[in-house]
């Protein structure tokens, strides 16, 4: 089972210190009670418009990075070791034949230098033994057309994260 919204930061984080994991924990407990595996989705959503308003408007990279680590640590502790996968970062890569040369979308998290690698490093630090850490995205499973450009960018990102030992274990589609 992958909870659609219950484990997303926008649903959980009311402020920098007010986090409510009730819905996420309930979804995981429901899955556990019914013998279903859980893919926890997601810790950081790098697409603009999908983070809490205080994240979307933050201009202090140090403050935002501290929150990123606090949130990841808190989420993984609250949800526990039952999920076999955490989608650490979601939809960070630019879509289609983007006119930008950048691999990543501009997002609230972009003010943090190397934010995708850092998110994986924090998740690696706080994950339970055996949990896998994934990058997740959509519309990149092609080797022709607009989706090929995105596919190439996802490959470049994941290879870079692996080469630098950021902590990524896989990719979700």
């Amino acid at each position: 089972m992958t909870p659609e919204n219950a484990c997303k930061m926008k649903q959980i984080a009311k402020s920098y210190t007010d986090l409510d994991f009730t819905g996420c924990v309930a979804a995981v407990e429901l899955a556990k009670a019914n013998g279903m595996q859980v893919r926890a989705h997601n810790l950081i959503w790098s697409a603009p418009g999908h983070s809490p308003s205080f994240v979307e408007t933050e201009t202090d990279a140090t403050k935002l990075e501290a929150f990123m680590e606090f949130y990841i640590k808190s989420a993984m502790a609250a949800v526990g070791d039952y999920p076999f996968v955490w989608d650490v970062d979601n939809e960070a890569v630019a879509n289609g034949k983007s006119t930008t040369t950048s691999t990543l979308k501009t997002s609230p998290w972009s003010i943090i230098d190397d934010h995708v690698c850092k998110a994986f490093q924090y998740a690696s630090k706080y994950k339970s033994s055996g949990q896998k850490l994934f990058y997740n995205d959509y519309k990149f499973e092609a080797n022709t057309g607009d989706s090929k450009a995105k596919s190439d960018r996802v490959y470049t990102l994941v290879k870079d994260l692996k080469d630098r030992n950021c902590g990524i274990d896989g990719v979700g589609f």
Side-chain angles (χ1 to χ4, degrees):
M1 178 177 82
T2 304
E4 176 62 20
N5 289 311
C7 296
K8 291 180 179 168
M9 182 188 293
K10 196 167 185 176
Q11 306 299 316
I12 293 167
K14 311 307 178 202
S15 73
Y16 285 102
T17 57
D18 183 8
L19 308 177
D20 182 359
F21 293 100
T22 305
C24 185
V25 170
V28 171
E29 290 301 319
L30 175 69
K32 192 186 300 186
N34 288 283
M36 296 184 283
Q37 293 184 321
V38 173
R39 175 189 199 100
H41 179 78
N42 54 37
L43 291 168
I44 303 298
W45 197 343
S46 285
H50 295 288
S51 295
S53 60
F54 66 91
V55 168
E56 296 275 339
T57 58
E58 184 57 63
T59 59
D60 182 332
T62 302
K63 183 176 181 181
L64 191 58
E65 184 177 340
F67 173 71
M68 175 195 280
E69 181 176 13
F70 168 73
Y71 180 80
I72 289 171
K73 177 182 180 180
S74 299
M76 295 180 106
V79 176
D81 63 358
Y82 193 74
F84 73 103
V85 166
W86 274 95
D87 287 331
V88 175
D89 200 329
N90 191 48
E91 300 176 12
V93 172
N95 293 325
K97 289 183 183 178
S98 175
T99 57
T100 179
T101 57
S102 176
T103 299
L104 302 179
K105 296 173 183 171
T106 300
S107 85
W109 301 100
S110 299
I111 67 171
I112 302 169
D113 183 49
D114 204 14
H115 75 280
V116 177
C117 182
K118 287 179 180 175
F120 276 96
Q121 289 171 334
Y122 293 136
S124 291
K125 183 176 176 180
Y126 299 113
K127 73 177 186 171
S128 297
S129 177
Q131 285 181 323
K132 300 296 183 188
L133 305 177
F134 276 45
Y135 171 74
N136 189 70
D137 216 317
Y138 69 99
K139 207 172 186 178
F140 70 96
E141 58 284 345
N143 60 8
T144 62
D146 288 351
S147 294
K148 181 186 182 329
K150 184 172 182 179
S151 177
D152 291 347
R153 285 192 293 275
V154 169
Y155 174 81
T156 298
L157 172 66
V158 172
K159 182 176 182 330
D160 175 65
L161 294 172
K162 287 294 284 181
D163 288 349
R164 294 189 297 130
N165 297 313
C166 295
I168 188 169
D169 294 307
V171 179
F173 290 76

